[in-house]
Amino acid sequence: MPEIVPHIFAEEDREVLTLTIDRQEKKNALTREMYEALAKAITKAGDDETIGAIVLRGAGGVFTAGNDLRDFQARAAAPDDRQPSGGMLLLTAVANCKAPLIGSVGGLAIGIGTTVLLHCDFAFAARSARFLTPFVDLGLSVEGASSLLLPQVVGPRAAREMLLLCDEVDADRALGLGLVDAVVPDVDLESFTQDRARALAAKPRQALRTAKRMLQEARGSSVMETIEREYVAFGERLRSPEAQEIFRKFFDKPAASD
């Protein structure tokens, strides 16, 4: 499988592009370089009408532990940096993708690992999947238009449990809430996801993309406006003394790794 940047692999087979996050020693935590590579690959594939579907997955039985906290620290230390965050680049690419997109989730799906699924057309989970949005626990704020989309998907009360209490959601509850479309045994996740992706790729291509565009346009500008508004609040929280103290304590733990 070709590696497009360190820890991000892309493989095209039968008009399905599979993007794999493979940084297993860090539970597939994402750096800015990895975000940028994923965003570029998703945008390019969405513009390529020979691609019938895109699959986003993690290697080693883990989807992703979310943003690398060292990257958060570096961003907080550079408050004059006006570049969009890596997470915002990925979320924007996913939200605007022209091709059908599937999230294939095994193991941990933390932070953006959960919120990115709100922008996927389908999400399939292994029995081991665990969904967690610990933004408040990290002294941060919500992101990925989750303040808008998560209540729509799982209901307002469950959304508060996830975003305010930071409660973990297992695979069965995620299915019951509508956060994922199917739960399968871990050993079947890859084959199940590829079967669904190939079924999409076999559909009349222009009709499929037109239908997806209609679904996107029905949302209007609210999703991108929410992503941008949350991004401002997230940046403010990231630079706050409260968040920085939480990060300091995290990295002071003897078991913490760089």
Side-chain angles (χ1 to χ4, degrees):
M1 184 181 295
E3 187 175 32
I4 54 179
V5 299
H7 311 299
I8 300 295
F9 294 80
E11 183 175 32
E12 185 180 340
D13 181 44
R14 286 189 272 181
E15 301 182 324
V16 173
L17 177 68
T18 299
L19 297 170
T20 300
I21 305 164
D22 191 350
R23 194 187 180 204
Q24 297 179 49
E25 71 280 7
K26 298 293 185 181
K27 298 180 180 177
N28 295 339
L30 294 157
T31 64
R32 183 178 181 89
E33 182 182 29
M34 293 164 70
Y35 277 127
E36 289 178 347
L38 287 170
K40 288 178 182 177
I42 288 169
T43 299
K44 182 179 178 181
D47 290 339
D48 182 353
E49 294 188 358
T50 68
I51 298 296
I54 304 167
V55 172
L56 180 62
R57 64 181 294 275
V62 173
F63 188 48
T64 174
N67 202 100
D68 186 295
L69 292 184
R70 290 295 189 192
D71 269 22
F72 273 162
Q73 280 198 320
R75 181 179 160 201
D80 294 330
D81 184 0
R82 301 302 178 190
Q83 287 187 311
S85 70
M88 187 174 181
L89 291 174
L90 175 59
L91 290 162
T92 299
V94 172
N96 294 318
C97 185
K98 298 172 186 175
L101 183 62
I102 298 173
S104 181
V105 183
L108 296 174
I110 298 177
I112 197 169
T114 291
T115 59
V116 73
L117 301 176
L118 300 172
H119 303 278
C120 291
D121 298 289
F122 299 93
F124 305 131
R127 186 70 57 190
S128 65
R130 297 293 182 271
F131 305 87
L132 185 64
T133 47
F135 305 115
V136 168
D137 284 349
L138 291 171
L140 302 172
S141 184
V142 301
E143 49 91 274
S146 55
S147 62
L148 172 69
L149 297 177
L150 195 60
Q152 293 177 0
V153 171
V154 305
R157 293 194 178 279
R160 291 188 188 100
E161 290 175 8
M162 294 179 68
L163 296 178
L164 302 184
L165 285 171
C166 306
D167 283 354
E168 183 181 277
V169 173
D170 65 18
D172 286 334
R173 185 152 192 252
L175 179 62
L177 291 172
L179 185 60
V180 300
D181 300 285
V183 174
V184 300
D186 285 52
V187 296
D188 296 332
L189 179 62
E190 185 172 357
S191 61
F192 181 89
T193 302
Q194 290 296 323
D195 284 347
R196 295 287 82 199
R198 289 167 188 151
L200 284 167
K203 302 289 184 186
R205 188 65 44 84
Q206 294 305 315
L208 183 67
R209 284 176 171 244
T210 299
K212 172 157 184 175
R213 188 179 78 247
M214 294 297 103
L215 289 168
Q216 289 172 318
E217 290 178 356
R219 302 181 311 192
S221 60
S222 59
V223 170
M224 287 308 305
E225 288 173 354
T226 304
I227 287 176
E228 292 168 4
R229 186 171 63 252
E230 290 176 352
Y231 169 70
V232 173
F234 193 97
E236 292 171 352
R237 293 301 313 151
L238 181 62
R239 293 184 289 272
S240 70
E242 185 176 51
Q244 289 305 301
E245 177 64 12
I246 291 170
F247 291 163
R248 185 190 66 76
K249 289 180 179 178
F250 177 84
F251 288 118
D252 283 348
K253 292 178 181 177
S257 57
D258 294 337

